[in-house]
Amino acid sequence: MRWKRLIGRTVAGLLTAGLISAGLLPVTTSAAEATDLARGKTVTASGSHGGYPASNANDGKVDSYWESNGHPADLTVKLGADADLDSVVVKLNPDPIWATRTQDIQVLGRTQDGTAFTSLRARAGYVFNPGSNQNTVTIPVDGRAADLQLKFFSNTEAPGAQVAEIQVFGTAAPNPDLTVSALSWSPSSPSETDDITVAGTVRNAGSAASPSTTVNVSLGGVVVGSAPVGPLAAGASAPVAVEVGKRPQGSYTVSALVDPTDTVVESDDANNSRTTASPLVVGQSPGPDLEVRSITSSPANPAVGAAVTFTVAVHNRGTSAVSAGTVTRLTVGSTTLNGTTPAIAAGATANVTVGGSWTAASGGATLTATADATNLVAETSETNNTFARSIVVGRGAAVPYTELEAEKADYEGTLLQSDAERTFGHTNFATESSGRESVRLNSTGEYVEFTSTAPANSIVVRNSIPDAPGGGGREATISLYADGQFVRKLDLSSKHSWLYGNTDSPEGLTNTPGGDARRLFDESHALLTETYPVGTKFRLQRDASDNAAFHIIDLIDLEQVAAPSSQPSGCVSITTYGAVANDGLDDTAAIQRAVTANQNGEIDCVWIPAGQWRQEQKILTDDPLDRGQWNQVGIRDVTIRGAGMWHSQLYTLTPPHEAGGINHPHEGNFGFDIDENTQVSDIAIFGSGTIRGGDGNHEGGVALNGRFGKDTKISNVWIEHANVGVWAGRDFDNIQELWNPGDGIEFTGMRIRNTYADGINFANGTRNSAVYNSSFRNTGDDALAVWSSKYVKDQSVDIGHDNSFRNNTIQLPWRANGIAIYGGYGNKIENNLISDTMNYPAIMLATDHDPLPFSGQTLIANNGLYRTGGAFWNEDQEFGAITLFPQNLPIPGVTIRDTDIVDSTYDGIQFKTGGGLMPDVKIQNVRIEKSNNGSGILAMGGARGNATLTDVTITDSRDGHVLIEPGSQFTISGTPNGARAKR
């Protein structure tokens, strides 16, 4: 160490003499013999220019580099623990194409216990010359630091700092190093009725004493217990034992993690966990064991007021038979129904008809079935007798949360209300609010107070706070109270909102402040530490420390979130492959290894336990032909399950355009690429997009994309801050031999929020597929769409057909439609609730995206449309709540029935000029109430075709109930109740 520092001082002397700074002598040190402490460590920067993120400065490649967005600029390497430093090596690409340049650099450091950076090497000019020093400069330093920072003041050849690679050489300072070893359990071969204890040894392998901490034990990736660990001297060990209780039959990976919250600063944080080579196998206990497998209702999708009966499948997973006579009970709302169960042999299943019926209530309910409800049977497990699922009745999704509007709550603040035309795109907060009203809080003490109508242990707040002065968003808080008692601060952010520009093209909008703004709202969510009963008064209040210039509250969702689900039998956790929850490090490689093992048949399914898991690359299939980032191979024959969308959360910190080496620029660096037969359930996928296309084509990525193929089913997945939630389909010329359009794919229980483009798009010949019982809010293009595009193998066969969008709730699309159909046949839009579109219809049938033609029948039935339609395209085109737009191609075979269209911004139903024919449109049992700035039904001057009205009621339309503009070739037969046609 002493001789290394001596050489460092010699180099410093040469620098002082100006020889090295002038590039006259090469820099040589003993760095080659020291350890590069920066390798694999996180690098951050004060800012980045374009596609040159900070991560490029530590990716092992000199042909990629970080460039700052101006001077001064900081580049910081987080070493993780204190080290005694010798030198810092800064590299640029040695290619002679890089001209000689001088960068003015200061070196600073911060110890692991420090709060501020101090100077380790004074500011000086360093010459990077491809000829004399291969564009590599070594800066001697002498000091101790855990964070090493380079501060750049100038660059003679660029407007910002530039670093291709940074290396930090030195030796680790004395610190503890905690490890876990000798994991075992007792009893060694447990059954389901045994209490299990996991034991191990914690050792401090470091060079300094460690303070007290804890050790967590996980089974199958789920933390099941913890134990304290006292202070340990360097080299000392201590035994630990954790009681993990009884476990269901199955095989569990056993792992232990010491210092799980990283409160102990260690010389090595990567060796704190240990996983056993062999799993813990829990055997089945002898005896009977009843469980409910499914609940079947008749009818499956009942109308409001229908009498519904039920059949419950009861399975005996035990080793001995169960006699007849046990009670199978089903509860739905306030109704309790009982059935008598026959004898069930070991391993057999009986379908139990439950007596009586339930009268279907609007909106649906939760069905809960319990086997052996009166506890007649002594079972080996009494914890698996219950099964629950939702049933949807009438319109909209049966969402598990209760939505409460700010304007209907108690508040002290300013009520914001939209103008009569609900003008969009000019920083219009009320237009972008649910119900076109929200509440603004400007001063300390102002609040909105909601009274809960159901138990809740979580909250989602739709809000708007100001952007940062230079764009890019800012963070803020608001205070949450329950019945007058402070609960917690809620973290709010404007990072994903605030797009600027006067253009209607989303690719033309920017994150840079200036002029009009749109997409003003985002959402914040939090799990609370307790359940609050019905009648709780939840107050969102501006306290003195909640110092955003304003808080605008639109609505909240209150939900009773269930505990994390247990790991299913046969599933293998991603922790087995190296993923670590909540550590902030990229888990992509571990997730990919688990998915590949499942795809190869090595494991039955992939388990994502409760926790936050960072993912910075798309999960797909490695292509041995390496056909490039634009031609990808998706996963197939894979099952991925999580502990619940509130619990198992995948997230990315890097916007796709800054990721570097992402799988596909448009499809992003997160989520899954799917080719066929893939099931994904009960997880969240949170992207980090901030824009769609503008500012250098900065796409926001797609959470779930690919060919999708057959038998793919996605359920209970929460997607947020993506460009697109789901894009099903690839162009035929994208690896032609893998052409495999979606067929029979299903999406249920989806929760898609705050995107920059579509929610779910069925493209490229997707057929026989459905989105059911799902909710969408604040999408940046069509929330749901069928696009029967021409980029298919056979345009006579690969047509988007027989898809259905059923029982979905769609709110606040900030661009484009609630639901759109572009071409195809047999597609259905049924039982949906759509509200508050900013500028486009609730429902549109159109041929303006050059689709394959419409043919056959298209059904729009039993939908509720509230405050929809709007003006777009320089505010010159006014769209109805339902619009048919035949751009040159005809739109035949349309039926619109059993629908309520209420409080439309412009027309209720609109037949638009476009050149194509709209023959034989049937409009039956439709109510159109209050078309604010238009007609009940409008046929434009260039419209062609005819419609027949049956049992149509139109009231309170500003421009007449039925209006056929001069020059129109569209005829309407049948007179709505109380209305006359105008011409």
Side-chain angles (χ1 to χ4, degrees):
M1 184 69 173
R2 185 176 179 184
W3 65 270
K4 294 177 186 174
R5 292 189 175 178
L6 179 60
I7 293 178
R9 293 189 181 95
T10 303
V11 174
L14 292 172
L15 286 169
T16 303
L19 298 177
I20 294 177
S21 296
L24 300 178
L25 291 176
V27 177
T28 59
T29 73
S30 59
E33 287 84 12
T35 301
D36 179 10
L37 302 171
R39 182 176 299 173
K41 300 298 173 60
T42 300
V43 178
T44 61
S46 56
S48 300
H49 170 67
Y52 307 100
S55 58
N56 285 356
N58 194 25
D59 60 3
K61 299 181 293 186
V62 294
D63 55 356
S64 66
Y65 62 97
W66 163 69
E67 183 170 328
S68 72
N69 54 356
H71 288 102
D74 298 336
L75 185 72
T76 304
V77 183
K78 297 182 179 298
L79 304 178
D82 279 346
D84 292 317
L85 305 180
D86 294 325
S87 62
V88 180
V89 176
V90 183
K91 298 182 179 181
L92 293 176
N93 193 330
D95 192 305
I97 197 172
W98 282 68
T100 299
R101 66 202 62 217
T102 299
Q103 298 197 73
D104 209 16
I105 306 172
Q106 180 187 10
V107 184
L108 303 98
R110 179 173 58 193
T111 63
Q112 62 194 35
D113 298 322
T115 58
F117 283 93
T118 59
S119 181
L120 300 179
R121 175 63 60 182
R123 172 179 172 178
Y126 297 92
V127 176
F128 294 80
N129 186 321
S132 63
N133 63 7
Q134 290 75 52
N135 259 353
T136 297
V137 164
T138 299
I139 305 173
V141 293
D142 188 358
R144 178 171 289 182
D147 297 326
L148 187 286
Q149 184 178 91
L150 301 183
K151 185 178 288 291
F152 295 81
F153 298 92
S154 65
N155 184 344
T156 57
E157 294 295 322
Q162 295 169 314
V163 176
E165 285 297 301
I166 181 172
Q167 297 173 306
V168 179
F169 291 97
T171 57
N175 265 310
D177 182 18
L178 298 173
T179 63
V180 181
S181 61
L183 286 182
S184 62
W185 50 86
S186 61
S188 58
S189 299
S191 70
E192 294 172 295
T193 56
D194 291 323
D195 287 308
I196 303 168
T197 299
V198 175
T201 300
V202 174
R203 180 174 182 266
N204 178 8
S207 53
S210 64
S212 297
T213 183
T214 58
V215 62
N216 284 352
V217 168
S218 298
L219 298 183
V222 178
V223 176
V224 292
S226 62
V229 178
L232 291 174
S237 300
V240 291
V242 177
E243 296 180 356
V244 300
K246 298 179 177 65
R247 295 289 135 184
Q249 178 190 14
S251 178
Y252 302 88
T253 56
V254 180
S255 59
L257 174 66
V258 66
D259 189 32
T261 58
D262 287 331
T263 55
V264 178
V265 178
E266 303 179 59
S267 57
D268 185 356
D269 268 325
N271 62 353
N272 286 24
S273 64
R274 174 62 59 92
T275 300
T276 58
S278 301
L280 162 64
V281 178
V282 178
Q284 183 175 1
S285 296
D289 187 15
L290 296 177
E291 61 182 2
V292 176
R293 287 286 181 86
S294 65
I295 304 171
T296 303
S297 60
S298 179
N301 302 112
V304 175
V308 186
T309 59
F310 303 96
T311 301
V312 177
V314 179
H315 176 72
N316 180 5
R317 66 174 289 275
T319 60
S320 58
V322 175
S323 300
T326 65
V327 174
T328 296
R329 178 167 294 160
L330 183 138
T331 61
V332 49
S334 59
T335 301
T336 299
L337 306 173
N338 294 315
T340 301
T341 312
I344 308 177
T349 300
N351 291 317
V352 181
T353 300
V354 178
S357 64
W358 168 68
T359 301
S362 179
T366 298
L367 308 176
T368 302
T370 304
D372 188 29
T374 57
N375 295 315
L376 292 180
V377 181
E379 302 177 63
T380 58
S381 174
E382 299 287 355
T383 64
N384 61 349
N385 288 25
T386 300
F387 173 85
R389 75 168 179 85
S390 62
I391 184 170
V392 179
V393 179
R395 296 170 179 164
V399 296
Y401 51 83
T402 301
E403 187 173 291
L404 301 174
E405 296 278 356
E407 67 272 15
K408 296 179 181 179
D410 293 327
Y411 62 85
E412 185 175 312
T414 303
L415 177 65
L416 304 181
Q417 297 176 297
S418 65
D419 63 285
E421 294 186 343
R422 297 165 180 163
T423 308
F424 169 73
H426 306 286
T427 324
N428 309 99
F429 291 100
T431 296
E432 295 195 34
S433 299
S434 175
R436 312 296 179 148
E437 294 182 330
S438 53
V439 175
R440 178 174 176 136
L441 310 179
N442 290 322
S443 304
T444 298
E446 292 187 331
Y447 64 86
V448 182
E449 188 170 81
F450 306 84
T451 301
S452 68
T453 58
N457 62 359
S458 72
I459 188 169
V460 175
V461 181
R462 187 169 193 264
N463 69 91
S464 181
I465 61 172
D467 195 3
R474 58 158 295 177
E475 313 301 315
T477 59
I478 196 162
S479 299
L480 175 66
Y481 292 81
D483 291 334
Q485 298 297 311
F486 178 77
V487 176
R488 58 170 290 174
K489 294 285 189 181
L490 296 178
D491 296 321
L492 312 180
S493 174
S494 55
K495 176 182 178 181
H496 301 283
S497 50
W498 292 91
L499 298 180
Y500 301 89
N502 297 318
T503 175
D504 291 324
S505 168
E507 289 79 8
L509 298 173
T510 176
N511 289 134
T512 302
D516 292 330
R518 65 192 76 187
R519 200 186 190 283
L520 305 171
F521 285 84
D522 201 49
E523 297 181 16
S524 174
H525 59 268
L527 270 174
L528 308 178
T529 57
E530 62 181 279
T531 294
Y532 293 87
V534 174
T536 299
K537 294 185 179 297
F538 288 101
R539 175 177 288 197
L540 298 174
Q541 179 170 293
R542 275 181 66 110
D543 286 348
S545 57
D546 304 321
N547 55 8
F550 59 80
H551 297 76
I552 298 176
I553 308 301
D554 183 23
L555 58 82
I556 66 169
D557 294 334
L558 296 175
E559 180 178 354
Q560 181 63 32
V561 178
S565 300
S566 299
Q567 180 174 347
S569 177
C571 287
V572 177
S573 173
I574 58 175
T575 59
T576 302
Y577 296 87
V580 178
N582 309 316
D583 66 349
L585 301 179
D586 189 2
D587 295 302
T588 302
I591 299 170
Q592 182 69 67
R593 284 193 292 268
V595 169
T596 300
N598 185 197
Q599 183 166 310
N600 292 341
E602 299 168 16
I603 61 176
D604 290 338
C605 76
V606 176
W607 172 244
I608 301 180
Q612 293 190 325
W613 312 88
R614 184 175 174 186
Q615 179 194 355
E616 297 290 0
Q617 290 284 299
K618 183 82 71 176
I619 302 300
L620 35 64
T621 296
D622 184 41
D623 182 9
L625 299 181
D626 194 18
R627 281 169 278 208
Q629 62 185 5
W630 298 98
N631 296 278
Q632 294 297 329
V633 181
I635 60 178
R636 58 176 58 227
D637 304 320
V638 170
T639 298
I640 300 165
R641 301 182 65 179
M645 63 170 64
W646 277 89
H647 301 294
S648 299
Q649 299 185 339
L650 305 177
Y651 72 97
T652 173
L653 294 179
T654 310
H657 63 274
E658 293 183 2
I662 61 176
N663 307 130
H664 190 301
H666 175 71
E667 292 168 355
N669 56 319
F670 60 96
F672 300 87
D673 191 321
I674 298 170
D675 268 6
E676 186 168 71
N677 187 31
T678 292
Q679 286 74 49
V680 182
S681 61
D682 300 298
I683 64 171
I685 302 173
F686 294 150
S688 58
T690 60
I691 197 169
R692 173 186 171 183
D695 292 343
N697 200 29
H698 293 173
E699 295 279 6
V702 184
L704 300 172
N705 61 272
R707 299 169 181 86
F708 277 82
K710 292 185 178 181
D711 301 319
T712 291
K713 293 176 172 56
I714 313 295
S715 62
N716 304 323
V717 175
W718 184 350
I719 297 171
E720 196 155 355
H721 297 148
N723 197 44
V724 174
V726 178
W727 191 277
R730 284 194 185 277
D731 296 353
F732 173 61
D733 62 6
N734 187 285
I735 313 182
Q736 295 184 6
E737 61 270 28
L738 294 182
W739 170 250
N740 194 24
D743 190 349
I745 58 180
E746 295 179 5
F747 294 86
T748 61
M750 303 295 289
R751 189 178 301 190
I752 296 181
R753 302 284 188 268
N754 305 308
T755 65
Y756 298 90
D758 300 65
I760 299 178
N761 193 308
F762 286 166
N764 302 90
T766 300
R767 73 287 306 263
N768 306 313
S769 298
V771 180
Y772 167 71
N773 194 31
S774 297
S775 65
F776 303 79
R777 193 156 62 208
N778 206 36
T779 57
D781 218 312
D782 302 326
L784 290 168
V786 173
W787 182 25
S788 188
S789 61
K790 293 180 177 178
Y791 314 121
V792 295
K793 182 178 182 180
D794 185 341
Q795 293 185 6
S796 66
V797 174
D798 297 319
I799 300 168
H801 69 84
D802 293 299
N803 301 295
S804 68
F805 299 135
R806 187 164 43 91
N807 285 102
N808 301 293
T809 297
I810 297 169
Q811 301 168 279
L812 295 154
W814 65 270
R815 188 180 188 277
N817 307 280
I819 301 177
I821 306 290
Y822 305 105
Y825 65 87
N827 297 301
K828 298 178 180 179
I829 303 171
E830 299 180 277
N831 309 343
N832 302 284
L833 287 175
I834 307 174
S835 60
D836 298 310
T837 59
M838 297 297 117
N839 46 49
Y840 251 55
I843 298 173
M844 178 181 249
L845 309 183
T847 59
D848 61 334
H849 288 304
D850 193 29
L852 296 171
F854 279 91
S855 62
Q857 301 296 310
T858 302
L859 176 63
I860 302 172
N862 196 35
N863 299 288
L865 316 179
Y866 300 90
R867 300 175 302 277
T868 58
F872 209 51
W873 304 117
N874 197 35
E875 301 175 24
D876 293 331
Q877 294 191 37
E878 298 168 354
F879 292 93
I882 297 177
T883 296
L884 274 60
F885 180 27
Q887 181 66 38
N888 299 319
L889 292 173
I891 303 180
V894 177
T895 296
I896 304 170
R897 61 173 172 81
D898 307 323
T899 290
D900 293 308
I901 304 172
V902 179
D903 199 7
S904 302
T905 304
Y906 291 98
D907 308 303
I909 298 176
Q910 182 185 87
F911 299 101
K912 193 172 177 63
T913 300
L917 191 66
M918 295 168 281
D920 302 321
V921 179
K922 295 178 176 61
I923 304 176
Q924 304 165 347
N925 190 29
V926 171
R927 176 174 69 101
I928 303 174
E929 179 182 308
K930 193 180 181 185
S931 298
N932 285 276
N933 304 291
S935 304
I937 299 176
L938 171 68
M940 293 181 128
R944 300 170 57 229
N946 65 287
T948 301
L949 311 185
T950 305
D951 294 328
V952 174
T953 300
I954 304 177
T955 58
D956 197 15
S957 301
R958 189 196 71 175
D959 294 342
H961 297 322
V962 178
L963 176 60
I964 301 175
E965 292 183 340
S968 177
Q969 299 178 52
F970 198 92
T971 61
I972 297 176
S973 60
T975 301
N977 298 331
R980 291 178 298 172
K982 289 189 176 183
R983 183 176 290 273

